[in-house]
Amino acid sequence: MIDPKPFAELLETDPLAPLQAAIVSSLKLLNPGVTVVPHPGKVDVSELISKTVVNAPGIGLGWSKVKTGQHAEGMFYLVVEWVAYIVAEAKVVGARRVEKEAVGLAIGGRLLEILADIETSLWGRSGVLPPETTPPAELKPLFTIRDAAQGVAYYTVTWTQIVPALGTGFMPPHAGRYDEQLGAIVYPDADMIDELAPWIPAEREADEDA
């Protein structure tokens, strides 16, 4: 049963927008010199060409899909498919010209490196799991020959992360402690055991008269 939720509370309890903001913040911090901005969703190539998403060298962080699933205890989780859009142009670094393809590959490779680090890829937040390995994070080219002729290269890095344990479960939240001497889990209140009983597997004792 879902209770009404006022709009202000809806915004306050949303798990997705704060996570996107945390990813953008982390990528900015880890990649000085690269512009990183949020994007509301999928990007049209024309937006990239007109540079309405992000200036090169830059990353526009959006998402392509969010799916849901249910935990056994009644809570639910979200499966978020993130997309980082990379915009690259030739750049002079020191006294050397670096071509757009090299710039794009360097940024894309850097994102894959970050996503492969379990601690960093949690983006400084609790309530999110490391990137899924099936499917793994992936770097792909997005640009066409015409785009290349205009001196711009586009790439995407995609990955999937799960936001678990959302909502309210139907199982009692009681926690006990394991007693080594008894070889059993002990609860501070007997009523807790009664509430947990329907969810605890039990072995049926044989009838003495049988």
Side-chain angles (χ1 to χ4, degrees), residues 140-152:
K140 294 186 293 186
L142 185 64
F143 60 92
T144 64
I145 298 299
R146 184 188 66 174
D147 302 329
Q150 293 178 346
V152 186

Side-chain angles (χ1 to χ4, degrees), residues 46-97:
S46 63
E47 294 180 304
L48 293 169
I49 294 173
S50 63
K51 299 183 180 179
T52 58
V53 174
V54 60
N55 292 326
I59 300 168
L61 181 75
W63 53 275
S64 63
K65 187 185 301 182
V66 179
K67 297 180 288 188
T68 188
Q70 191 139 14
H71 294 298
E73 69 276 14
M75 302 178 80
F76 72 98
Y77 60 89
L78 298 177
V79 182
V80 188
E81 298 181 10
W82 296 107
V83 185
Y85 298 94
I86 300 169
V87 182
E89 293 178 341
K91 188 174 180 63
V92 175
V93 181
R96 181 171 64 94
R97 174 185 168 90

Side-chain angles (χ1 to χ4, degrees), residues 135-195:
E138 186 176 28
L139 168 64
K140 294 186 293 186
L142 185 64
F143 60 92
T144 64
I145 298 299
R146 184 188 66 174
D147 302 329
Q150 293 178 346
V152 186
Y154 309 109
Y155 299 84
T156 62
V157 172
T158 55
W159 73 96
T160 301
Q161 282 188 275
I162 292 177
V163 181
L166 300 171
T168 304
F170 46 73
M171 290 184 63
H174 309 316
R177 62 176 182 82
Y178 180 71
D179 188 306
E180 292 186 1
Q181 291 184 339
L182 295 176
I185 299 175
V186 179
Y187 291 87
D189 190 333
D191 290 340
M192 293 182 179
I193 299 176
D194 293 336
E195 294 176 11

